[in-house]
Amino acid sequence: MDLANFPQLKSLIIHRMGPITGDIRSMGAATFPKLEDLALPEHVYGGCRYEIMRISEAKDLIATIYSIKKQLHRHPSLFEDFNWYLSESSPDWYQEEFAYPFSFCFVRAGSRLGWRWERKFDYTPAYHFEMNWLDPLPAKGSSEYQSYIEALQNIQSDMDSYPFFKGYHQPPTEAVYNRLSRQYRPSMEEMETWENL
């Protein structure tokens, strides 16, 4: 059975199925034009929790998925609940005793879409990186601009709460990270959060 023969398909949830491989780069504008919900396994290029081998690969993956999102009739939230990861086998992985994973995902501020890296476990605070914007800035004075500014304040608040990577748009080299670790002074709020885990 060829799923491409179902142009009215609105939901494709296959991330918990067996060993499925594939590549979202083959997803043309005519592929599932009505799709609203999508969950692909990690072995599919661009699937949920897909792992990249180098930090530099993130931009290409995001650019590919962004081009799919911008195809005519694509649902605006498609791919926006995906997270992608740096593989633990990556040469860019830090050699720490307790290394937290790096992931990256889309972030929306009003109508403006961007993406960012973060570092966290499921139960720890998220250390966000600076935003990498994909969409242009909404026109000043418009309702879209006001929604963007309000959402941007929340994004900035996240960064201000745990500012370890403030000023960085992607994970730095391990040498730079080690220097940041020596110089970093966590806030009282941050220390209390860790103590209460």
Side-chain angles (χ1 to χ4, degrees):
M1 180 176 67
D2 188 349
L3 287 175
N5 293 329
F6 295 87
Q8 301 303 315
L9 192 69
K10 289 189 174 182
S11 182
L12 181 60
I13 311 297
I14 56 174
H15 66 295
R16 298 192 184 278
M17 296 180 69
I20 297 173
T21 59
D23 193 328
I24 61 163
R25 288 173 288 195
S26 61
M27 192 171 174
T31 308
F32 309 131
K34 306 286 188 182
L35 201 62
E36 297 178 6
D37 296 310
L38 178 65
L40 300 172
E42 62 189 57
H43 299 295
V44 172
Y45 178 89
C48 300
R49 304 184 69 86
Y50 175 77
E51 295 183 354
I52 59 174
M53 287 303 297
R54 302 305 300 251
I55 289 169
S56 58
E57 294 174 20
K59 284 185 179 180
D60 289 338
L61 177 57
I62 288 290
T64 295
I65 296 174
Y66 183 65
S67 69
I68 294 171
K69 285 176 64 59
K70 288 299 181 181
Q71 291 169 355
L72 196 61
H73 307 305
R74 286 291 176 205
H75 196 274
S77 66
L78 207 61
F79 296 106
E80 291 187 23
D81 58 351
F82 280 37
N83 280 78
W84 303 280
Y85 289 81
L86 179 67
S87 170
E88 291 186 30
S89 303
S90 166
D92 297 332
W93 186 267
Y94 297 164
Q95 301 304 308
E96 300 174 289
E97 184 177 359
F98 301 106
Y100 296 103
F102 284 110
S103 65
F104 56 102
C105 62
F106 285 114
V107 178
R108 184 174 291 281
S111 62
R112 193 182 191 193
L113 188 67
W115 67 282
R116 69 181 174 193
W117 283 91
E118 67 177 22
R119 195 175 198 210
K120 73 182 295 289
F121 278 130
D122 291 339
Y123 55 86
T124 64
Y127 289 85
H128 298 295
F129 288 76
E130 301 286 357
M131 287 291 299
N132 300 289
W133 293 109
L134 298 165
D135 290 338
L137 187 69
K140 288 187 177 181
S142 67
S143 59
E144 287 187 355
Y145 183 78
Q146 184 59 37
S147 297
Y148 161 72
I149 291 299
E150 291 172 3
L152 186 63
Q153 289 172 346
N154 292 330
I155 291 171
Q156 192 59 50
S157 177
D158 290 343
M159 170 65 76
D160 292 341
S161 296
Y162 305 102
F164 187 95
F165 294 111
K166 193 174 184 69
Y168 289 85
H169 290 264
Q170 67 177 30
T173 64
E174 187 166 8
V176 172
Y177 170 77
N178 289 336
R179 176 174 55 79
L180 290 173
S181 296
R182 291 191 298 269
Q183 297 173 347
Y184 185 64
R185 297 294 179 266
S187 65
M188 188 66 69
E189 175 189 355
E190 183 178 346
M191 290 191 292
E192 288 176 356
T193 300
W194 280 102
E195 288 171 1
N196 294 326
L197 288 177

